[in-house]
Amino acid sequence: MSPAERIVVLDVHGVIFTNPLAAYLAELAQRHGREGAEVLDAWTSRLRRAFWLGHIDVPEMWRTLFPGADPEALTHGLEHRYAEGPLFSLLHEITEPLWLLSNHRTEWLMPRLERFGLSDRFERIYVSDAIGFVKPDARAFRIARAAAGSREVTYVDDKPENVAVAADVFETALTVPEAIERIRA
């Protein structure tokens, strides 16, 4: 099968970029005199899904976690902690069209892609706040599957629970180490 008959769908954080959020939240908790575990629990159990779906905005998310802090400064501090992830330097070796499927916010992701020189590298970009589903919900993967038509899809993610669900939707679903091994083979 030629590269034109296949596509590669990548998760973003933990794959193309690092995922510094948990460490940043712990650092902020300490700086604001809060328990890191308490802040991380608030993020994971109450805010993350609503934030990724766009049900709460950026200032509300930050104000809930760190009342009185400047949301813009917190966003800026987080953004500058992102770095190249494990597949970043290998993107040029992937010959198939690349798509992104991310649990994130469009207003954060698009400028990050621009900053890292990747804004034109992806044929399609699906972000949870725009598609209305958060992985590992199979409906998030099915949106990409439907758009791919008859093309075979290989999906890559750093989270095993996402890979497991994606394996039921796409022809191939790989963890990051598996993808790196295939690219280098």
Side-chain angles (χ1 to χ4, degrees), residues 16-28:
I16 297 170
F17 301 124
T18 57
N19 192 355
L21 182 60
Y24 185 55
L25 291 177
E27 176 188 318
L28 289 173

Side-chain angles (χ1 to χ4, degrees), residues 3 13 24 67 70 98-100 112-113 123 142 153 160 173 175:
H13 302 97
Y24 185 55
D70 176 6
L98 291 174
W99 293 8
L100 295 180
R112 186 170 309 128
L113 292 172
E123 185 178 276
R142 287 187 195 121
V153 178
T175 63

Side-chain angles (χ1 to χ4, degrees), residues 25-144:
L25 291 177
E27 176 188 318
L28 289 173
Q30 185 176 27
R31 195 181 322 157
H32 290 264
R34 308 235 356 245
E35 279 292 321
E38 173 192 336
V39 170
L40 192 54
D41 181 60
W43 165 251
T44 56
S45 66
R46 291 185 296 137
L47 297 172
R48 178 175 53 188
R49 183 174 170 75
F51 183 68
W52 282 341
L53 287 171
H55 297 162
I56 61 172
D57 64 17
V58 173
E60 181 180 352
M61 184 271 294
W62 285 126
R63 282 192 303 266
T64 301
L65 291 172
F66 304 104
D70 176 6
E72 200 170 305
L74 296 180
T75 298
H76 181 77
L78 173 61
E79 181 56 40
H80 290 285
R81 284 169 170 72
Y82 285 96
E84 296 176 1
L87 285 186
F88 186 92
S89 65
L90 298 174
L91 289 176
H92 69 281
E93 295 183 36
I94 300 172
T95 56
E96 295 87 359
L98 291 174
W99 293 8
L100 295 180
L101 177 58
S102 181
N103 288 342
H104 208 53
R105 292 297 287 252
T106 303
E107 74 263 32
W108 281 7
L109 180 59
M110 301 313 284
R112 186 170 309 128
L113 292 172
E114 178 80 26
R115 183 165 67 89
F116 280 87
L118 296 176
S119 57
D120 295 332
R121 180 61 175 100
F122 303 99
E123 185 178 276
R124 293 187 185 213
I125 299 171
Y126 297 100
V127 186
S128 58
D129 69 326
I131 65 172
F133 299 108
V134 173
K135 299 178 295 178
D137 186 326
R139 293 174 292 183
F141 300 109
R142 287 187 195 121
I143 288 172

